[in-house]
Structures are given as structure tokens and as C-alpha cells.
Amino acid sequence: MLDAKIPSGNLDDKWVDYKGHCKLVNPANKRKMEVIIVGTGLAGASAAASMAELGYKVKAFCFQDSPRRAHSIAAQGGINAAKNYQNDGDSVFRLFYDTIKGGDYRSREANVHRLAEVSTNIIDQCVAQGVPFAREYGGLLSNRSFGGTQVQRTFYAAGQTGQQLLIGAYQALERQVALGNVTMHTRHEMQDIVKIDGKAKGIIARNLITGELEKHFGHAVLICSGGYGNVYYLSTNAMGSNVTAAWKAHKQGAYFANPCFTQIHPTCIPVSGDHQSKLTLMSESLRNDGRIWVPKNLGETRKANDIPEADRDYFLERRYPAFGNLVPRDVASRAAKERCDANYGVGTSKQAVYLDYAAAIERYGKIEVSKQGLSDVSTEQIIALGKEVVKEKYGNLFNMYSKITGENPYEVPMRIYPAVHYTMGGLWVDYELQTTVPGLYALGEANFSDHGANRLGASALMQGLADGYFVAPYTVGNNLADDIYNAAIPTTHSAFEEATQKVAERIASLKNINGKQSAESFHKRLGKIIWNECGMSRTAAGLKQAIADVQALKKEFWSDLRIPGEINEYNPELDKANRVADFIELGELMCVDALAREESCGGHFREEYQTPEGEALRDDENYMYVAAWENKGAHEWELHKEALKYEVIKPSQRNYK
């Protein structure tokens, strides 16, 4: 069994005791130590800013032309924190409980409780940075609800929370760049980890402008490169998002945990055709006020606004009355798929359901009438007032939907359908966020640790900033305290030379295939295999077929890939081929993991294991563990198990009814 290094003692005291007893590095020694951070989204930018503020010499890498282009910027709806401003019963324990339950009892108690504890600090930090959170009339920060909760704990900045939080972290990072404490390497992509005596001591990075391979030393390496949702090709992730940094770490000995735990977000704009290269997310915050429904009658041909209430099936409210439209994402996604599979879907594709704001507009309009003391108000005036309120809360999201679909969501219901969004799996890390490779850490979505089999909405931003601002500075320092006697290793060391040579040979091998097919075409085919057999539902037969199909695709990729251009120049097709090669190997492991987990939990839905009502059926006796996979060679992995022990919360069948 794996050792997660969870501190002893009561759950409430673990993090406090850890901070009180961890080893420290004095300021003079911090200035001698170098830390490499790969990725500059919320986790990476906050970690780089925090470590540099402490005095470490930080080298940060991102493949974009600016940290501000990290995919964290795309998060819309909000960030969770247990401040209980609404006085509606929220608490650190409630956030901890909701997160454990939402993850279907497949996450580590100690990490989740720590996340809930530091959540309140994140909001204070971001307010101090000037993040323009929405506020109530009296000046207090405003909150709204997200799926999987019965309280309002989500702080937001209209529908662009991720952008505002990233700007805050980016400003903190750029301050350290200006002070000379951070060296920023943009347009650089990590190609491999360098290990010396079994410890991570640096990376090999490719300059994406010149094609040059560069060697960089670090006393510690932090992987903050996000998730791997683009293995499906169509996802809500930025097209550049990839698994390469995490996958290179995996092939160097870092175990990959729970790769089959993928989150399907219920509130996305439906696929419109094979021409698409990505999907667009409509924030989960829209479920706070919008109502989701399909027609009650098969073969319904009337327009949405012409269908009377009696002929509408508000299926989430019907099936889950306690939570209604705010059930967790995995539950909402499966319910929408079930209705569409039963031929109640809407739109030309019939692979969509309605998200309707008519009732919310009317409700807000009546509130405005009361607030303004108006009388003899017409229905049209009520609707107009309600639209203004909705516009203030969600206007940029409505505008985005209108631009993409050509429809006015203030007038007609939106059409939505589930799509790949977030990955709960990632590099296995212990309580200190350290992987199975000493000196190598993983933060944010790149690790597996906090969300179990399903992430609650508005918790990704919370985890990324918690890891970067408040966890890594303690845990990395605790381990670097033993490294203060070790001078920086020159990059002329044989380990750096050998790693560089290995990377160069792999790139040359890709370039020299000289086949006929593009990396993009292989990626699209991979995505269809993984979506069809390891997407919203899985079966043993389908997963076995997918494994065979992915292995065949890998063989074809390495024999018929064509990459135009040259190696030592700006060559995005070469960059893409590198990433797709890693996605293909990851796709196989995802199916291997999904096949081995003979239960349904959270986002992992095996059709063979479900309740009579169609809900996920867990097997706690046999599968209450983290599946951590060790790479043993081509098409070969060894399973290591971290037993999950629940000392405070008793696992039970999830019930949102």
C-alpha cells in the first residue's frame, strides 16, 4: 500500500499541527535554492509568486506567450469558500462534507479537510489583490449556489471569475519577475524530467520558437500543467491543454492515479458537427437560476416557448427534489443523457435539453417592481426589469451563447448537453503534494488528490489557489530543508546530457516517420474511441475493444504520421504530434483503469453496476482505494492501491432526492 504521509491526530488539527512542526529553510538558504514550476495557471502562478516571495529562486515555464493565456482564465462561475456570509448553515465541515460526498467517497479525507480550511484564506488573499468579486448592496461579497450543495458559498465576478483570479495571481507573479526572483520562460514546453540519484533535479524544455532543447536545474520541480481532458479531442479545454508534462513525469516513475475519473459537465453548448475542434462551456452558475427540462411527449415538434407547462418535464426537479437543478455534475449529466437516449432530446440533433430562464426573469422582475415601489406594471415591464437583473448577473454568458448559436437566450431557452470538462485523475501525490518521485510535486488539476470521482462546481479554482498559495510553500520547504547542503548541479552533468539526447531522439523519430496522416487526424480518431467507450458510460466489452483500438492506433501513429516543417524552428505541428503521442498512451491507461474498477462511482459509470433507479452503484468493500498506476513499459502498468480510510464521514449511498 502507498504511504500518503497523512499526519496523525484529529482531522481538524492535522494541517495546523503539520505547519507547526514542519522543517523550515531560513531566508539566507532560500536564496540559494532553485525551484522549477511547470505551468502558470492558477496553481502555477500562485505557487511561483508565493515561493519567490519567500525568497526562493524560481524558474517558471509555460507554452503560451503569456501566463495570462493559461486555461484557468476560462473558468466562469465562481470559487467556493466556507465563509458563511449568507448565514445559511455553511461551515468548514459542511464544505468538507459536500466535497467528500460529491466525490462519491473516493477522495482522501485529510486533503479535502485542508482544502476546506484554507478556502477562507483564498478569498481574503484575492480581495487584497483587487479581484473584483460581486458584492451585495451593503458591501459584503455576494454568493451564489452551485451543484451538490444546499448553501450559497460560491464567490464570483460576473461570469468571468477565472479570468479575474488569474489576473490577480499573474500580477503577483509579475511583481516577482520585476524583482528578479522569478525567471519567466514563455513559449517553452517541458519534454522530460531529469533525475539524479532517484530525485527530480531539473527538466528538459523545448523552446517552441527556435526548437532548441534547454536544460534547467532545480532543487524541486512542481508540475502545475492542468488536466488531460483533451484526450477526448472535443472538450471544454483550450486546444493547447495537454498531458505531456504529467505524462513525462509518469514515465519517469511518478504513479498516475485514477485516470478514468473524468468529469462530464452538464451545461455545455451541444456539438453542431464534425467541423468542431472544441466545445464551449456555459457556466454551472446558470443552473442557479435556470430550469432544465425536455418535452413530456415523444416526437414533440412545437417550439420551446409554445410548449405549455403541463407538457414540460423538469426532470432534475422531478428525480431529485431536494437539490433540483443543483445536483452534482455527474448526476445532472447522466440524467440529461438518459432523457436524450429515451428520445426526448431537443434541437436538430436531438442531443440537447433546455436550460430555461423565463421563470427567473419573471421572478427577478417582480422583485424589482417591489423594490422600486411600482404599481400598475404590465407583464412586459416585469419581463424587461427581470432581464436587466439577469443581464447584470450573467450577461457575458448570455452574450457568448448568442454569438455562438445565433439565438437570444433572454427570449428562448438555451440548448445544452454534457461535455468533457475536468479530470479528477492525475499524478498521485501524498499529503505534501509530492509524487512517488522525490523532489517532484504536482499541484492543481495535475494531481488527483481532492475531488475523488467527481468534482463539485467552483472547486477547481479553490484547489489550484489553495495548493499554490497556502500548501506548497510549507510542504516543499519541509523537504527542501534537507537539501540546503547541496549546491546547484551544473547542467553539464551526465544526467542532463542523457535526458537531452533521449528527447532529441524521440523528436527525430517522430519527424522521420514521413507518413501521410496529420497529428490532428490521429487525435480526432483517439477522441472518438475514448468518448464512445470511456466517456459518459463504460462497459467491460467496450473498454476491452477500446484498449485494442488504441493500441492499433498507436502502431499506426508511429508508422504513418506526417509532420511538415523542420525540427529546429517554430513548428506547431511537431508540438501537436508530441502531445498526441502522449494522449494515445494515456488513453490506453484510462481504459485499463476503467476496466479494473468494477463499480460505478461519480463520473465513472459502468453500466453493469447501477441501482434499479439508474444511479451509480459503488462497491466500497472491494474498491475503496486510489488506483495508482506505475509505468512498466509499453502497454504495461502495475496497480498500486492507497486504501481510503474514512474516520469522520461514514460513506453511504449518495442521495440528492
Side-chain angles (χ1 to χ4, degrees):
M1 290 290 183
L2 289 166
D3 179 13
K5 299 180 183 175
I6 299 171
S8 59
N10 293 328
L11 187 64
D12 292 355
D13 301 326
K14 290 182 187 295
W15 181 233
V16 174
D17 288 348
Y18 179 93
K19 291 190 294 182
H21 295 90
C22 66
K23 290 174 282 189
L24 302 176
V25 181
N26 80 45
N29 285 330
K30 286 190 180 93
R31 291 192 290 270
K32 303 174 187 175
M33 311 205 78
E34 301 178 42
V35 176
I36 288 175
I37 295 177
V38 179
T40 53
L42 284 181
S46 60
S50 300
M51 299 298 285
E53 184 77 37
L54 288 171
Y56 295 102
K57 292 195 292 184
V58 175
K59 290 179 276 192
F61 296 79
C62 70
F63 66 77
Q64 302 95 339
D65 58 3
S66 166
R68 284 190 60 179
R69 291 189 180 274
H71 185 60
S72 300
I73 205 168
Q76 299 165 336
I79 177 171
N80 289 331
K83 279 190 169 294
N84 195 29
Y85 281 167
Q86 305 298 322
N87 198 30
D88 58 0
D90 199 13
S91 65
V92 167
F93 181 84
R94 181 77 63 179
L95 174 53
F96 160 67
Y97 173 79
D98 286 346
T99 305
I100 291 285
K101 178 183 176 183
D104 217 355
Y105 305 97
R106 290 295 177 264
S107 46
R108 189 190 289 156
E109 268 194 340
N111 286 65
V112 176
H113 196 277
R114 175 175 65 188
L115 177 64
E117 285 179 69
V118 304
S119 67
T120 57
N121 299 337
I122 296 170
I123 303 303
D124 296 338
Q125 170 94 357
C126 294
V127 169
Q129 291 174 337
V131 173
F133 286 121
R135 293 180 181 269
E136 303 287 2
Y137 178 77
L140 282 178
L141 298 181
S142 181
N143 292 115
R144 56 191 177 199
S145 298
F146 260 57
T149 71
Q150 291 179 304
V151 298
Q152 295 185 76
R153 67 162 65 101
T154 304
F155 296 77
Y156 63 97
Q160 50 185 245
T161 313
Q163 177 178 348
Q164 298 302 331
L165 291 173
L166 185 61
I167 289 172
Y170 169 74
Q171 289 176 156
L173 170 61
E174 287 301 308
R175 177 174 178 269
Q176 296 302 321
V177 171
L179 292 173
N181 299 327
V182 175
T183 303
M184 190 68 230
H185 297 270
T186 58
R187 289 295 190 190
H188 282 68
E189 187 162 30
M190 192 197 95
Q191 300 294 312
D192 211 350
I193 297 289
V194 178
K195 293 196 302 184
I196 298 176
D197 297 328
K199 294 183 177 181
K201 290 296 181 182
I203 67 170
I204 306 301
R206 183 171 183 268
N207 183 321
L208 300 184
I209 302 299
T210 66
E212 179 185 1
L213 296 179
E214 300 178 4
K215 298 168 283 189
H216 297 274
F217 166 80
H219 289 91
V221 178
L222 279 59
I223 304 295
C224 309
S225 54
Y228 51 88
N230 274 357
V231 68
Y232 290 90
Y233 187 72
L234 285 179
S235 82
T236 66
N237 292 346
M239 288 186 66
S241 297
N242 62 81
V243 76
T244 288
W247 196 250
K248 301 305 186 193
H250 172 55
K251 299 192 79 170
Q252 285 283 11
Y255 295 177
F256 209 101
N258 297 338
C260 77
F261 285 170
T262 304
Q263 180 167 83
I264 312 295
H265 197 297
T267 318
C268 300
I269 297 177
V271 176
S272 60
D274 287 338
H275 62 281
Q276 282 185 260
S277 55
K278 76 176 301 294
L279 299 174
T280 302
L281 170 70
M282 298 303 296
S283 169
E284 183 177 321
S285 63
L286 293 173
R287 289 201 280 143
N288 195 63
D289 284 311
R291 301 179 72 193
I292 295 173
W293 62 277
V294 293
K296 282 185 178 179
N297 302 319
L298 286 171
E300 179 65 74
T301 58
R302 289 173 290 181
K303 294 181 179 179
N305 288 342
D306 295 334
I307 301 175
E309 284 290 308
D311 291 339
R312 298 182 179 191
D313 177 16
Y314 295 93
F315 56 91
L316 292 179
E317 298 171 33
R318 168 173 55 82
R319 291 181 59 175
Y320 310 101
F323 283 72
N325 295 295
L326 288 174
V327 291
R329 291 174 176 176
D330 61 320
V331 177
S333 293
R334 277 198 299 276
K337 180 178 186 294
E338 185 274 329
R339 287 290 80 192
C340 291
D341 289 349
N343 299 317
Y344 290 94
V346 302
T348 55
S349 69
K350 302 302 180 184
Q351 293 295 302
V353 298
Y354 288 128
L355 175 62
D356 197 335
Y357 258 73
I361 289 172
E362 183 178 352
R363 183 178 74 253
Y364 282 127
K366 290 179 178 178
I367 292 172
E368 287 300 302
V369 168
S370 181
K371 283 168 59 177
Q372 298 179 27
L374 303 176
S375 59
D376 297 325
V377 180
S378 67
T379 301
E380 289 74 17
Q381 288 175 294
I382 292 173
I383 298 302
L385 289 169
K387 286 179 180 178
E388 287 302 311
V389 176
V390 169
K391 184 177 181 180
E392 184 176 346
K393 293 169 73 77
Y394 307 106
N396 63 313
L397 300 173
F398 278 53
N399 290 342
M400 181 172 69
Y401 182 88
S402 180
K403 287 181 179 179
I404 292 172
T405 66
E407 299 173 0
N408 183 350
Y410 294 101
E411 303 291 340
V412 297
M414 301 181 204
R415 288 171 293 108
I416 59 169
Y417 192 72
V420 172
H421 179 55
Y422 187 91
T423 50
M424 284 74 67
L427 294 177
W428 184 90
V429 293
D430 59 23
Y431 187 74
E432 297 186 309
L433 305 184
Q434 188 168 213
T435 70
T436 48
V437 175
L440 180 65
Y441 299 79
L443 280 62
E445 193 179 354
N447 74 34
F448 86 98
S449 68
D450 291 12
H451 306 298
N454 174 61
R455 177 176 67 79
L456 291 184
S459 287
L461 306 183
M462 177 174 62
Q463 187 210 346
L465 292 179
D467 287 354
Y469 281 137
F470 299 111
V471 178
Y474 285 96
T475 63
V476 176
N478 182 59
N479 292 292
L480 285 180
D482 296 328
D483 225 9
I484 60 174
Y485 306 104
N486 301 323
I489 298 173
T491 55
T492 53
H493 188 284
S494 59
F496 282 92
E497 298 292 345
E498 291 168 8
T500 304
Q501 181 65 26
K502 187 176 76 170
V503 170
E505 289 173 357
R506 172 188 161 92
I507 292 174
S509 296
L510 281 169
K511 181 67 182 71
N512 292 334
I513 294 172
N514 291 325
K516 298 179 180 178
Q517 300 183 61
S518 67
E520 182 82 356
S521 67
F522 282 106
H523 192 183
K524 186 176 289 190
R525 289 166 60 192
L526 172 69
K528 287 184 178 180
I529 295 170
I530 304 301
W531 173 251
N532 289 337
E533 307 300 348
C534 196
M536 289 185 68
S537 61
R538 299 99 187 258
T539 65
L543 290 166
K544 290 175 183 176
Q545 184 61 52
I547 291 170
D549 290 346
V550 172
Q551 290 177 351
L553 186 70
K554 179 179 178 179
K555 185 176 181 180
E556 186 179 349
F557 175 89
W558 283 96
S559 63
D560 200 28
L561 173 70
R562 179 180 181 273
I563 301 174
E566 301 300 328
I567 292 175
N568 295 315
E569 64 179 12
Y570 175 68
N571 191 340
E573 287 301 308
L574 176 58
D575 305 333
K576 185 182 297 182
N578 261 312
R579 298 165 188 164
V580 173
D582 295 330
F583 274 137
I584 290 173
E585 295 180 0
L586 166 68
E588 181 180 351
L589 179 58
M590 289 172 65
C591 296
V592 168
D593 185 43
L595 183 62
R597 188 169 286 276
E598 296 181 343
E599 64 165 353
S600 291
C601 56
H604 169 63
F605 191 75
R606 284 282 296 270
E607 293 181 12
E608 305 96 321
Y609 309 101
Q610 55 182 301
T611 67
E613 296 80 24
E615 306 294 345
L617 183 62
R618 294 197 324 269
D619 181 354
D620 291 345
E621 183 177 348
N622 295 306
Y623 294 97
M624 191 175 281
Y625 61 75
V626 176
W629 297 90
E630 178 185 5
N631 182 263
K632 305 293 284 186
H635 312 297
E636 188 178 351
W637 289 270
E638 180 180 347
L639 174 61
H640 301 266
K641 299 176 182 178
E642 178 201 338
L644 292 171
K645 300 175 182 178
Y646 291 94
E647 301 173 0
V648 175
I649 295 178
K650 182 180 179 181
S652 60
Q653 181 68 32
R654 282 199 301 171
N655 184 1
Y656 294 97
K657 297 180 179 180

